[in-house]
Amino acid sequence: MTQESGTGAAYWRANLRLVVFCLIVWAVVSFGFGIVLRPMLSGIAVGGTDLGFWFAQQGSILVFLVLIFFYAAVMNMIDRKYDVDE
Amino acid sequence: MDTQILIYIVVGGTFALYIGIAIWARAGTTGEFYAANRGVNPVVNGMATAADWMSAASFISMAGLIAFVGYDNSSFLMGWTGGYVLLAMLLAPYLRKFGKYTVPEFIGDRFYSQAARLVGVLCLIVISVTYVIGQMRGVGVTFSRFLEVPSEVGLYVGAGVVFFYAVLGGMKGITYTQVAQYCVLITAYTIPAIFISLQLTGNAIPPLGLFSEHAGSGVALLERLNQVLADLGFNSYTEHHTNTFNMVLFTLSLMIGTAGLPHVIIRFFTVPRVADARWSAGWALVFIALLYLTAPAVGAMARLNVVDTLWPGGIGAEDGALAFEDKPDWMVTWEQTGLLVFEDKNNDGFIQYYNEGNEEMAATAEGFGWAGNELVRLDRDILVLANPEIANLPAWVIALVAAGGLAAALSTAAGLLLAISGAISHDLIKGAINPNISEQGELWAARISMALAIALATYLGLNPPGFAAQVVALAFGLAAASIFPVLMMGIFFKRINDIGAIAGMLSGLAFTIVYISLYKGWLFLPGTNQFPDTPEYWLFGISPLSIGAVGALVNFIVAYAVSRVTAAPPQEIQELVESIRVPRGSGPAAHPSAAIHH
């Protein structure tokens, strides 16, 4: 394996780690808090209903937004670190 | 001023704006026609993507879908936004780096197979044509309700406007008209929502209003809504009533389907750099979220408003119902469309609206001398369009909502038509039939296929197949089961080869089509289904609408297994995958020459 493809592999692993982390958060807030884990959150009241309902109708969308911008920002740093930025 | 004249002025003004933009942003090369010369600012592209993605269904139907079902339909909110996370992290940046013009082109190059490219073209056309029928219908319906012209005339006018800016401007013209259309539709959506939120909760921000105190009763808005629905025998708004497993799969299918829609994916080909594709997905979701955070508020508030209007003398009380002669004007107007229907079953001159399917409620009703629910039909599509009238807003707001509905339908139609024409002129004509076609020749081929696609869409809009609504489920299932997995594997799994990809796509497709057809009928012909489309008969409780996620899984497994037992992709394909994984080298500098060679 050449020096260059070794750096390429490390860059790709860093990207995958970040993607996996973001997708775990993505799944936990929507499928988790919004649907499957909703009964566990039923004790937390939010404006006439519970936290799970809030995640299903607003919270998950807000988290998705933060996730994409977080991913874009961190990827920019990773791009520069491995010297593959444009 | 007369409302009707005002509607004509506002709608006419927006149409003139779109045409003006088209003349300003003409496309002179295929690079401009397919990808706006990759010079679109990521924020601008985000806004255009939002308009591209939010169709007549998002603008007109979604708030109603939430309003009449409540929590269980939150799938639409999470599904249609969560797909952007997948797009931003799994597809958009890499496909931008690949730097070509269409989705089938990537499939063909990555899997070094003309057959794979043609399967991609087929999936793309089925998905996009299905969608476009719904948009053309939306244009026709909006015209007939607001401009009081026959639906067909509305369709011709809408098709004419799209023809003008899409054929002339291609992706470049469409991008900038979509920006204008986004501004129109989001203003039209939020203004009535702000007024309704102020009236009901005193909070000017609808998403906050949804979780605030109800001004009339002093309890939380959602608590109040649950209360009045219980008084009428309806299901609670905030509780979960359906199968949890199916809700998860449905949400996942919408997410994967969203990420696999070709007309959305190609929007990310227009930005200058890979990093811009990532930012742009975020901006797209910002602009989409403005509407998607407002929609559930509109849904809940409109439902409460309708109940309160129909029960002025106490919710569900014996003498609480509204008299037929006291119906507000908006109800009278909408009755003329047939989307709102009342029937005085017990001839008492009052409208009793309640859930006659609830036994306890039916018994109470019988004691009061009621003969059944008298609000026979309340089409979910009314809610958003009638919102300004329900809230007594001035005529210009009504005009704006009409223009907004048209903007949502036209912007999506244009994006779909561009995806179709690109697949025909670039993948079929240049890719398969005549690879030596000149730059100018391909540009003309693209324009002619666009014109033909518009003619087909108009024809199908005028003569919709009886199953138009059903086919939307098929389109999402197909995008989820075919296009998303093959693109993702092409980027993330180097070992997937041509045979694996084709086997995966075909098995994902076949599985999804068979499952949907078993419940909805083969080719959607009535009576050809093997099982009734009800939860008792669904395999493991999975609705045909939710099967796309399972089809995607089938695609992944088959592609992986088949690739493992067949030859690895050639060295140059492995290098292609390596190169799309790193951002460097995507720069716009490559494109003037690309425009000449393509």
Side-chain angles (χ1 to χ4, degrees), chain B residues 113-471:
Chain B
S113 158
Q114 193 74 358
R117 188 175 186 175
L118 294 180
V119 174
V121 169
L122 180 75
C123 297
L124 182 150
I125 289 181
V126 173
I127 294 168
S128 305
V129 167
T130 306
Y131 255 80
V132 104
I133 299 172
Q135 307 314 314
M136 297 315 262
R137 294 289 298 162
V139 171
V141 169
T142 313
F143 259 99
S144 63
R145 161 63 188 89
F146 287 105
L147 288 94
E148 292 175 5
V149 296
S151 180
E152 295 78 43
V153 177
L155 232 161
Y156 288 127
V157 175
V161 173
V162 171
F163 179 88
F164 196 83
Y165 70 74
V167 172
L168 197 63
M171 180 59 108
K172 195 175 164 198
I174 287 172
T175 300
Y176 296 104
T177 36
Q178 280 175 337
V179 169
Q181 284 159 337
Y182 177 80
C183 297
V184 172
L185 79 87
I186 199 68
T187 317
Y189 203 85
T190 44
I191 288 182
I194 289 170
F195 279 101
I196 290 181
S197 181
L198 274 172
Q199 286 170 356
L200 286 185
T201 67
N203 195 323
I205 302 167
L208 297 179
L210 178 62
F211 295 95
S212 304
E213 197 173 277
H214 178 232
S217 62
V219 299
L221 180 93
L222 286 166
E223 213 175 313
R224 169 74 187 157
L225 182 55
N226 279 339
Q227 232 169 53
V228 303
L229 292 179
D231 288 344
L232 299 175
F234 289 104
N235 268 345
S236 128
Y237 191 82
T238 55
E239 270 166 41
H240 185 29
H241 307 280
T242 55
N243 176 337
T244 303
F245 176 57
N246 186 47
M247 185 175 175
V248 168
L249 274 188
F250 182 45
T251 309
L252 185 61
S253 295
L254 293 178
M255 287 177 175
I256 303 178
T258 300
L261 287 176
H263 72 285
V264 176
I265 294 173
I266 56 172
R267 283 238 49 96
F268 293 94
F269 296 175
T270 67
V271 295
R273 300 177 312 146
V274 173
D276 294 328
R278 300 181 192 130
W279 290 118
S280 200
W283 284 109
L285 191 53
V286 167
F287 296 119
I288 291 168
L290 285 178
L291 191 144
Y292 274 56
L293 291 173
T294 307
V298 168
M301 290 173 191
R303 180 122 188 239
L304 188 57
N305 252 340
V306 168
V307 172
D308 280 338
T309 308
L310 288 171
W311 291 98
I315 312 293
E318 188 169 0
D319 303 317
L322 181 75
F324 270 82
E325 60 201 34
D326 294 338
K327 270 185 302 190
D329 291 341
W330 68 267
M331 289 188 180
V332 180
T333 325
W334 282 94
E335 273 185 280
Q336 292 159 5
T337 63
L339 298 174
L340 180 66
V341 180
F342 299 103
E343 187 191 337
D344 195 0
K345 292 178 179 165
N346 60 349
N347 290 316
D348 66 347
F350 290 89
I351 306 166
Q352 282 95 24
Y353 166 56
Y354 62 97
N355 183 8
E356 59 189 12
N358 178 317
E359 280 174 30
E360 204 180 317
M361 190 65 212
T364 315
E366 213 179 322
F368 289 159
W370 302 346
N373 174 30
E374 298 180 343
L375 176 59
V376 182
R377 178 167 187 212
L378 175 56
D379 192 282
R380 59 174 191 232
D381 289 354
I382 292 179
L383 278 190
V384 168
L385 296 179
N387 244 344
E389 296 157 279
I390 296 175
N392 281 320
L393 299 182
W396 62 269
V397 181
I398 302 173
L400 198 58
V401 169
L406 290 170
L410 291 177
S411 58
T412 306
L416 290 162
L417 291 163
L418 184 76
I420 297 170
S421 80
I424 294 173
S425 60
H426 196 62
D427 292 307
L428 279 185
I429 297 179
K430 186 175 166 70
I433 299 170
N434 179 9
N436 299 321
I437 191 168
S438 70
E439 152 80 15
Q440 278 308 308
E442 190 188 347
L443 188 57
W444 276 105
R447 290 206 159 113
I448 293 167
S449 15
M450 175 80 85
L452 292 177
I454 293 173
L456 175 73
T458 311
Y459 174 79
L460 290 172
L462 289 171
N463 308 285
F467 49 81
Q470 307 265 34
V471 183

Side-chain angles (χ1 to χ4, degrees), chain A residues 11-12 15-16 19 22-23 26 30-31 34-36 38 46-49 52-58 60-62 64-65 67-69 71-73 75-76 79 83-86, chain B residues 66 71 74 77-78 81-82 84-86 88-90 94 207 211 220 222-223 238 244 248 251-252 255 273-275 278-279 282-283 285-286 289 293 296 492 581-584 586:
Chain A
Y11 167 74
W12 189 243
N15 177 22
L16 289 183
V19 169
C22 290
L23 289 185
W26 164 82
S30 54
F31 305 114
I35 305 176
V36 180
R38 187 180 171 200
V46 175
T49 175
F53 182 91
W54 180 80
F55 265 106
Q57 300 220 329
Q58 277 186 10
S60 47
I61 299 178
L62 296 171
F64 295 157
L65 267 176
L67 270 181
I68 298 182
F69 282 103
Y71 173 77
M75 273 314 282
N76 273 356
D79 287 351
D83 193 32
V84 293
D85 56 322
E86 295 146 277
Chain B
I66 313 268
Y71 167 79
S74 306
L77 298 166
M78 291 184 282
T81 53
Y84 281 84
V85 177
L86 300 178
M89 293 171 199
L90 303 180
Y94 314 105
F211 295 95
L222 286 166
E223 213 175 313
T238 55
T244 303
V248 168
T251 309
L252 185 61
M255 287 177 175
R273 300 177 312 146
V274 173
R278 300 181 192 130
W279 290 118
W283 284 109
L285 191 53
V286 167
L293 291 173
F492 284 82
R581 285 177 177 183
V582 293
R584 182 165 291 168
S586 69

